Amino acid sequence: MIINKSSHLSEVSGPVKTSKRSKMKLLWSGLLILSLLVLSACGQNSSNTAKIVEGKVNVVTTFYPVYAFTAAIGGEDANVINLLPTGVEPHDWTPKSQDIVNTSKAQLFFYNGAGLEGWVPNFLKSLNSDTKVKSVAVSEGVKLLTAEGDDGHGHGEEHEDEHTDDHADEGTSEEVADHHIDPHTWVSPKSAMIMAENIKNSLVEADPDHKTGYEQRYQELRTKLETLDQRFVDELATVPNKEIVVSHQAFGYLARDYGLTQHAIMGLSPDAEPTGQDIVKLAKLVKDEGIKYIFFEELVSDKLAKTLASEAGVETMVLNPVEGLTQEQATNGDDYFTLMEKNLQNLLIALK
């Protein structure tokens, strides 16, 4: 606050002209306040200001797991831009105009595929006509699961599909989604290894000058995934119970690869809400199988999980599909590996 030293004179002798020095103070104060407001606005938008960097391979990724693996392998040689903001669940998210601009200028566009990002076909059609970006479905090669006989609430039995996700054409996501393919490949470390290799191969192809760095960082990531995989294999082999009840059908690959059976309150998308009859049936299953916990997710409402837990007289616990980070997790430095470690510990508690 600026105090006019001559203000006390005005009370005695009437108005006094503001000095030149006072005017300058007022001007600088105004400029300072304006600058702070601008900086504050920039800080609020910092998560949406990622830009293309000249001289590096630019990669746009659709959501957290793909971003995390790409950033780990790309290191200092790649500029990785993630589309999905922190704290947002990916199933219903749609891209913005700036996302189209950035992707049009990038060299690579990595998406999961297997039907997760239903907006991808139209998004690719919206890119600038002169774009040279290569789109890659990083789940290619994973043996996909189908929810055959799904009643729309995710209670259909899952089966391993004969074909793999070896398509990156624009019709793939819509076609796969129509056949109830489970897109949650990354939740299993075994599938994550395949995804990481696809990412590495695409980076090397787009930027062969930095092949050595990509290969080295890929091997480091691969080793961490192999260690995580072995922990799941060894520790889940010892639990007496194998049945889990989850909020939405996101753990099919984890269940398949580590000998578990999942029962989902909601379907492949967390939007597919169950009927009252579904809840009653699941409550009976929980009691019959002696299940002690209902798992819920942090990015999805826990209301239905708590309703089922109350109906069945059991407790709730987090099982994270690692579709994204919450603001708190991002602040705490959590990543794919810390969240998967927490998943393992919670599974061991629930299944003992």
Side-chain angles (χ1 to χ4, degrees):
M1 181 173 119
I2 298 174
I3 301 176
N4 189 340
K5 294 181 179 179
S6 61
S7 60
H8 66 285
L9 296 176
S10 64
E11 297 174 5
V12 178
S13 57
V16 177
K17 287 186 178 180
T18 305
S19 68
K20 184 176 180 180
R21 186 176 179 183
S22 295
K23 288 182 178 179
M24 289 301 295
K25 286 183 178 179
L26 286 169
L27 176 61
W28 281 112
S29 296
L31 288 173
L32 177 61
I33 293 171
L34 179 61
S35 298
L36 290 173
L37 288 172
V38 171
L39 288 173
S40 175
C42 290
Q44 291 171 2
N45 295 324
S46 60
S47 63
N48 299 319
T49 56
K51 296 181 180 179
I52 296 296
V53 175
E54 296 296 331
K56 287 189 177 184
V57 59
N58 290 275
V59 188
V60 175
T61 60
T62 53
F63 75 123
Y64 176 71
V66 180
Y67 167 80
F69 299 153
T70 304
I73 298 169
E76 67 274 10
D77 297 322
N79 177 46
V80 186
I81 299 172
N82 194 39
L83 295 183
L84 200 72
T86 300
V88 176
E89 205 278 333
H91 286 84
D92 296 322
W93 179 85
T94 53
K96 311 298 185 292
S97 57
Q98 185 60 46
D99 301 325
I100 296 174
V101 172
N102 283 337
T103 306
S104 295
K105 296 178 181 178
Q107 287 74 50
L108 292 169
F109 172 65
F110 289 160
Y111 65 106
N112 185 75
L116 181 74
E117 307 99 328
W119 48 267
V120 163
N122 288 333
F123 179 76
L124 294 177
K125 292 176 184 177
S126 301
L127 300 182
N128 295 345
S129 58
D130 60 348
T131 183
K132 296 181 180 179
V133 67
K134 179 180 179 182
S135 61
V136 179
V138 300
S139 63
E140 177 182 338
V142 175
K143 291 183 179 179
L144 299 178
L145 291 170
T146 58
E148 295 182 7
D150 195 309
D151 63 359
H153 304 295
H155 301 147
E157 183 179 359
E158 283 192 311
H159 300 277
E160 191 166 276
D161 203 348
E162 292 296 325
H163 69 274
T164 58
D165 184 18
D166 56 356
H167 307 285
D169 60 273
E170 295 179 354
T172 301
S173 294
E174 293 175 337
E175 177 186 348
V176 170
D178 289 342
H179 290 84
H180 304 295
I181 296 294
D182 184 347
H184 304 87
T185 54
W186 65 91
V187 185
S188 167
K190 292 184 186 297
S191 298
M193 291 182 216
I194 297 172
M195 297 168 65
E197 185 173 10
N198 289 335
I199 290 168
K200 181 263 296 181
N201 290 341
S202 295
L203 284 168
V204 169
E205 181 181 352
D207 184 24
D209 291 344
H210 295 103
K211 177 180 179 180
T212 301
Y214 296 138
E215 292 279 4
Q216 179 181 342
R217 289 185 291 268
Y218 161 71
Q219 287 300 331
E220 292 170 358
L221 177 61
R222 172 91 187 191
T223 298
K224 291 178 68 176
L225 288 169
E226 287 174 344
T227 301
L228 182 65
D229 168 53
Q230 196 59 53
R231 286 202 61 197
F232 270 84
V233 170
D234 294 342
E235 298 191 35
L236 289 178
T238 65
V239 296
N241 302 306
K242 304 292 184 180
E243 309 274 338
I244 60 174
V245 177
V246 298
S247 58
H248 101 273
Q249 197 172 359
F251 302 92
Y253 295 93
L254 187 75
R256 176 190 69 183
D257 293 340
Y258 304 105
L260 306 178
T261 300
Q262 76 164 342
H263 304 277
I265 302 173
M266 295 173 278
L268 292 173
S269 167
D271 292 339
E273 294 190 6
T275 64
Q277 186 177 9
D278 293 329
I279 295 292
V280 171
K281 288 181 179 179
L282 275 174
K284 183 178 185 303
L285 180 142
V286 168
K287 294 174 182 177
D288 291 347
E289 296 293 333
I291 294 170
K292 302 173 184 177
Y293 292 89
I294 307 298
F295 288 111
F296 69 94
E297 305 166 22
E298 288 139 317
L299 292 180
V300 178
S301 171
D302 61 358
K303 182 178 179 180
L304 288 173
K306 288 185 175 180
T307 298
L308 176 57
S310 177
E311 179 76 22
V314 297
E315 298 182 59
T316 59
M317 187 183 294
V318 171
L319 193 63
N320 197 324
V322 202
E323 294 175 337
L325 300 179
T326 65
Q327 292 289 350
E328 182 180 1
Q329 289 165 347
T331 301
N332 292 340
D334 278 317
D335 59 18
Y336 177 86
F337 290 95
T338 63
L339 296 181
M340 288 298 292
E341 287 282 356
K342 290 175 184 176
N343 280 346
L344 178 57
Q345 294 309 311
N346 286 351
L347 283 169
L348 293 174
I349 292 170
L351 297 175
K352 66 183 180 181

